[in-house]
Amino acid sequence: VFVCLVVILTSSIVVIAYIVLLPLILNTYSPPWIAWHICYGHWNLVMIAFHYYKAAKTSPGYPPTVRYQISFSAEEPVLLCCQFDLFKDTKLVLFVVGEK
């Protein structure tokens, strides 16, 4: 249902642009301006269709099966799944420590 709705809405925008706007544009603007915008508009239309197709056909994947264990003992440092540089991430460190 959602795929049909996207196709209908996108097609209706293109049909409206050709029926309503194209005659007005042909009488108003110069041919180079019209050619540029028609090419650019079709490029955007192809990109929208391609990326929508790829998003609809791509499998979402599966959740990772690896479990991470975090140690909270006083003897061992806490191991997180990310690394950061203390000198570059001073705002993060100050936030975690509780300083302003």
Side-chain angles (χ1 to χ4, degrees), residues 42-77:
H42 281 88
W43 174 257
N44 284 331
L45 182 62
V46 168
M47 289 296 106
I48 290 170
F50 172 75
H51 286 99
Y52 182 76
Y53 171 78
K54 292 298 281 185
K57 290 296 180 181
T58 301
S59 172
Y62 301 100
T65 57
V66 178
R67 304 281 181 196
Y68 294 102
Q69 293 182 353
I70 300 177
S71 172
F72 289 104
S73 66
E75 294 84 19
E76 299 177 12

Side-chain angles (χ1 to χ4, degrees), residues 12 26 40 42 61 65 71 95 98:
S12 66
L26 289 174
Y40 184 71
H42 281 88
T65 57
S71 172
F95 174 75

Side-chain angles (χ1 to χ4, degrees), residues 2-42:
F2 184 72
V3 175
C4 292
L5 185 64
V6 169
V7 169
I8 290 170
L9 288 175
T10 306
S11 301
S12 66
I13 291 171
V14 172
V15 168
I16 290 170
Y18 274 109
I19 292 174
V20 176
L21 294 177
L22 191 60
L24 177 68
I25 290 172
L26 289 174
N27 293 331
T28 307
Y29 295 103
S30 66
W33 188 92
I34 295 170
W36 161 252
H37 282 82
I38 286 179
C39 291
Y40 184 71
H42 281 88

Side-chain angles (χ1 to χ4, degrees), residues 57-97:
K57 290 296 180 181
T58 301
S59 172
Y62 301 100
T65 57
V66 178
R67 304 281 181 196
Y68 294 102
Q69 293 182 353
I70 300 177
S71 172
F72 289 104
S73 66
E75 294 84 19
E76 299 177 12
V78 176
L79 175 64
L80 298 175
C81 296
C82 62
Q83 296 179 354
F84 57 91
D85 187 5
L86 291 178
F87 297 108
K88 290 183 181 177
D89 298 321
T90 55
K91 290 183 181 179
L92 173 66
V93 173
L94 291 176
F95 174 75
V96 171
V97 173

